[in-house]
Amino acid sequence: MSNPALQRTVLVTGAARRLGRDIAQALARAGWRVAVHYRDSEQDALETVAACTDLSGDSDSFQADFNDEQAVRALISRVVQRFGRLDAVVNNASLFEHDDAASFGYQAMQAHLLSNTGAPIVLAQGLQEHMRARIEAGEPDARGAVVNLLDQKLWNQNPDFLSYTLSKAALEAAGTMLALALAPLVRVVGVAPGLTLTSHLLSQERFEALHRLSPLGRSSSAADVASAVCFALDNQSMTGTTLLVDGGQHLQRFERDFSLM
Ligand SMILES: NC(=O)c1ccc[n+]([C@@H]2O[C@H](COP(=O)([O-])OP(=O)(O)OC[C@H]3O[C@@H](n4cnc5c(N)ncnc54)[C@H](OP(=O)(O)O)[C@@H]3O)[C@@H](O)[C@H]2O)c1
């Protein structure tokens, strides 16, 4: 990229590891300059930054804990200060801890709502303010986009992970409201993966068996989720809608969360 001031720039939250890293690298491969957000995984974040720098010429890491509203609010301006511009936010970071109707409490609900709903909304708000500032500075066509990582389980609910599911349901509803409120400056699109990566709750063998449980015989790959994010950021006509990237898992009835089946 010959002129860094013209390189489109994206903030990917929770991009140190797992799906966030795949999304960051796919965006860097597509030419985006990537701001890599992390909370605790500093070493992994530096590895994501190195990979993104190799792919698109520049990248940097930004630490923030999303329980801290001021830290979330400062994130957009820190990225803008470092790169000179910000064009998109991918809200990928997420808390995923188990609770259900029996164990539900304010503490779990609050933690999930802060990191999975509040922070993405504050970041979308910050992106709109940045777009306004760019327009006032003489860039009338400045436009931004937000992608919110959701979950196919919103369309196929079960009683597990109650606070997590509530926080993602709230984010899905916020997607509609923000698409209206932030237009025409910022588009808002959801991407809802199915079972994509395993966790400590599942053996590799069990994960592979569950991954096959879908109309297409496979759930989402990280590459397919990342490519949906790239598409949502590129497609200038999409807002207020969600891409379900899950092999059709949302069309099937599952009584429990995959990790507890
Ligand atoms: N994995 C799947 O199969 C799957 C399925 C459906 C939907 N999704 C969605 O896809 C996204 C990525 O999934 P994933 O499994 O890769 O996510 P993950 O590993 O569970 O979490 C991603 C990152 O979120 C960050 N994070 C958590 N709480 C935070 C907080 N309070 N403040 C700041 N950062 C915080 C952590 O960063 P640090 O490590 O730096 O602390 C973590 O590495 C999520 O939004 C998830 O809901 C995933």
Side-chain angles (χ1 to χ4, degrees):
M1 174 63 56
S2 50
N3 184 352
L6 298 180
Q7 189 174 12
R8 57 189 185 161
T9 304
V10 58
L11 167 65
V12 182
T13 69
R17 311 163 52 236
R18 291 170 56 83
L19 212 34
R21 175 182 280 182
D22 285 299
I23 292 168
Q25 290 184 190
L27 287 165
R29 209 169 287 118
W32 289 82
R33 182 167 46 191
V34 183
V36 173
H37 159 266
Y38 69 98
R39 179 192 53 183
D40 294 333
S41 303
E42 182 176 13
Q43 195 49 46
D44 291 321
L46 294 177
E47 286 172 24
T48 308
V49 165
C52 291
T53 304
D54 280 348
L55 290 164
S56 71
D58 196 9
S59 174
D60 211 340
S61 59
F62 299 83
Q63 197 279 338
D65 185 337
F66 288 173
N67 289 309
D68 176 351
E69 183 176 345
Q70 291 319 312
V72 181
R73 290 202 175 278
L75 199 48
I76 300 280
S77 50
R78 286 168 63 204
V79 173
V80 171
Q81 211 166 9
R82 167 65 175 81
F83 295 121
R85 63 186 282 167
L86 181 64
D87 301 280
V89 175
V90 178
N91 284 311
N92 167 81
S94 172
L95 182 65
F96 181 64
E97 285 179 1
H98 186 259
D99 67 347
D100 57 19
S103 59
F104 179 84
Y106 276 14
Q107 202 179 345
M109 183 189 72
Q110 190 175 23
H112 284 86
L113 283 173
L114 291 181
S115 54
N116 301 359
T117 318
I121 294 173
V122 166
L123 293 174
Q125 191 185 46
L127 186 65
Q128 188 200 32
E129 283 162 16
H130 173 61
M131 289 303 148
R132 280 210 191 100
R134 279 169 60 177
I135 289 167
E136 277 168 26
E139 200 187 331
D141 296 329
R143 297 290 182 270
V146 172
V147 172
N148 293 323
L149 269 290
L150 301 172
D151 195 312
Q152 65 79 29
K153 77 189 307 203
L154 297 180
W155 289 267
N156 176 15
Q157 292 185 16
N158 60 65
D160 295 315
F161 291 90
L162 178 54
S163 291
Y164 165 83
T165 307
L166 285 175
S167 69
K168 291 288 185 178
L171 184 58
E172 197 265 334
T176 307
M177 298 166 80
L178 291 174
L180 289 165
L182 305 187
L185 299 191
V186 175
R187 296 183 297 107
V188 184
V189 180
V191 169
L195 179 67
T196 310
L197 299 178
T198 191
S199 73
H200 65 284
L201 295 166
L202 285 175
S203 68
Q204 187 60 28
E205 199 181 28
R206 188 85 188 112
F207 167 74
E208 284 167 15
L210 292 169
H211 199 271
R212 286 193 289 272
L213 284 183
S214 75
L216 295 185
R218 63 186 287 277
S219 180
S220 32
S221 67
D224 283 344
V225 174
S227 114
V229 172
C230 293
F231 169 75
L233 290 185
D234 276 340
N235 191 300
Q236 299 299 313
S237 304
M238 285 182 72
T239 197
T241 191
T242 295
L243 295 165
L244 281 100
V245 185
D246 66 346
Q249 277 181 331
H250 69 285
L251 302 170
Q252 262 178 304
R253 184 81 196 105
F254 297 107
E255 300 298 329
R256 303 294 309 268
D257 185 83
F258 291 121
S259 56
L260 300 172
M261 277 164 69

